[in-house]
Amino acid sequence: MPSLPPIRPEDEEVALKTRPGGAFDAPVDEEHRATLFEMLLRLGDDSLILGQRLGEWCGHAPSVEVDLSLANIALDLIGQATHFLNLAGEIEGRGRDGDALAFHRDVLDFRNCLLVEQPNGDFAQTMARQLLFSAWQKRLFDQLAASSDERVAAIAAKAVKEVAYHEELAAEWVIRLGDGTDESRARMADGLDWMWRFVPELFELDEAAADANGRGLWPDVDLLRTGYDARLQTVLAEATLDAPKPQRPILGGRRGHHSEHLGHLIAVMQFLPRTYPDAVW
Amino acid sequence: MYTTELQKNAQVQNLEDPAKLEAFEARVAADEFIEPKDWMPEAYRRTLTRQISQHAHSEIVGMLPEGNWISRAPSLRRKAILLAKVQDEAGHGLYLYSAAETLGTSRQEMIEALHSGKAKYSTIFNYPTLTWADIGAIGWLVDGAAIMNQVPLQRTSYGPYARAMVRVCKEESFHQRQGYEIMMAMCAGTADQKRMAQDALNRWWWPSLMMFGPTDDNSPNTAQSMRWRIKRDTNDELRQKFVDITVPQADALGLTVPDPQVKWNEAKGGYDFGEVDWEEFYAVVKGEGPVAKERMKARREAWEKGAWVREAAAAYAEKLAAREAA
Amino acid sequence: MSKDWPLWEVFVRSKGGMAHRHVGSVHAPDAEIALRHARDTYTRRMEGVSLWVVPSASIIASDPRDDAQMFDPAEDKIYRHPTFYNIPDDVKHI
């Protein structure tokens, strides 16, 4: 290979300084890997399940324009899920890719929050879910863009622009429905009321989240909460809506303890790969 | 720019002025574009409104058979592709409604005509999607047939329609390819997959040939539409072209077209093929297709269940305007 | 039967330095939603860097029946065009 440049002495000097006697097979930190895998599943499953839910709207929205908007959000989310779950499979190192994780796990192994698996209901309920989720995801991704893991940071930095748009769009609709007609106001209030008990789970600091936080893989959830609450307050005020009364939080999604809805969702979603396990599509 | 609102001010021409008519025909014959505010014969306006709105309805109803599989797409990649494709159809419906609205009929009137059964849409969407291979077959055959119809319409005489078709054709270029790619994967796959692929071709072949409409003998308006450049080829010409292109594609997949009469005819340089079941075609046109009731029910429900959303947003807009005025 | 939203015309700037171009229309209840509908309908494939929406009813268009008086008078003003003037070839930079 005569055309390659020679290794210059100054390069050699740099090389000597960079590796303080390290080995090429540095031991993998198994705990770090497990934590990163866990958090990637949470991120990927959140996006996947909500994308799946929004896809159910396709062809049935209140106007053709809204159909396009909802499909755009769903596409962003499916894209995020693909990135997060593929990376999760890579980190896990057991030969599973995003598809294997999406289509060959059962309820107990899904790590999404309960909020995203809630049924679409009417358009108000869908927008309530979207606002409550996207407002959280936006603040989360803002922080994850500075994750100690470069790959996570890169996905979050790209996705944060998408979810910023989702949050804005959902807010616009919550405002219009809240401050629209008597009927839309009642429906918007009902939609928020349905989703409200699943909000605390977004800020739950369980063992995995605390561990991930210590490793620079997850932000300080209290920090997220402040901005989130302020944002909701502004939107609800503009929508002339009161925040729903505090409800007993329902938790468990992050540990695989889901609502009854998720089983039906994944039964539909996974039907083909499960029925024809040998098929390539 | 060219809108329903503006059109309301336009004078209705009841009796066609022969001089205007002649000038109009000359412009069309000279390949000029007709724009919304230009004078046009009422028959041209009516025919075009019908054609473009039918086309728009077809895009919107056409979201349903494929939408049926978004939740069940077998991989993340396939899910994203299908969602993007069905979304494109919503977009295309929108472009076409926009174009039709410039002729003076509001989208609401067109949608109401669809829901009341007065307006028609492509017969093809009244057939059910039973397996994942149907998603492949629709992309390959249905979009293939649609492209054949649409490409020449990019040069149609009505400006807004031609511009909408340019956009539609550009965006649709991936639709047929993704369908064929699904078929390739199925045909290279397991015995179950091959069975689904052949079955899908069996079910979608004849309805695809019906998409080109009745035979030329039974298309009394073809001559006028061709003179007006709102139709560029006859139904039978396009059907022949479709068969000639598609049979070798089926061969490449290792699938058999469900027509024993398909045979290469050296003399005419094309395939001979059997007769479409025209009784079925006219039944589907009349609204008696296998899932016609389901399709219309889904569209009506979407519109009716969305009414409170549209009203709420309109009410909010009025409040906003009132606040700004205050 | 419930009503549809008003119509808005959509203009897209395809990239910096280009003018906004009319691409079609959307229905929307108000300006903010009209912008979002325009974004979701007309810029799904990176077609634009900037959007305008205008209520369709606000556009004033010339009437084709006035074409002759509007546009024909410009036809014989050929002295407005550079090729109208004969300059010898050996005179440069003009």
Side-chain angles (χ1 to χ4, degrees), chain A residues 158-177:
Chain A
K158 174 180 174 288
V160 74
K161 290 179 265 178
E162 298 167 353
V163 304
Y165 189 80
H166 305 169
E167 182 192 342
E168 289 301 320
L169 186 73
E172 297 289 357
W173 275 114
V174 169
I175 290 165
R176 276 155 188 76
L177 298 179

Side-chain angles (χ1 to χ4, degrees), chain C residues 1-77:
Chain C
M1 187 54 89
S2 123
K3 289 205 336 215
D4 208 338
W5 292 318
L7 199 59
W8 302 71
E9 299 302 319
V10 180
F11 300 79
V12 176
R13 183 202 296 287
S14 58
K15 57 183 179 195
M18 307 287 277
H20 285 77
R21 214 178 107 205
H22 182 246
V23 291
S25 55
V26 291
H27 287 263
D30 56 65
E32 182 61 40
I33 297 286
L35 263 182
R36 295 184 184 274
H37 286 173
R39 180 254 194 194
D40 288 333
T41 303
Y42 291 103
T43 64
R44 302 198 305 285
R45 287 175 168 78
M46 303 179 293
E47 290 95 335
V49 295
S50 163
L51 275 171
W52 288 350
V53 291
V54 182
S56 301
S58 300
I59 291 190
I60 316 297
S62 65
D63 189 325
R65 282 172 301 181
D66 300 335
D67 276 1
Q69 65 189 54
M70 289 283 276
F71 308 114
D72 288 358
E75 236 168 53
D76 62 354
K77 312 280 194 299

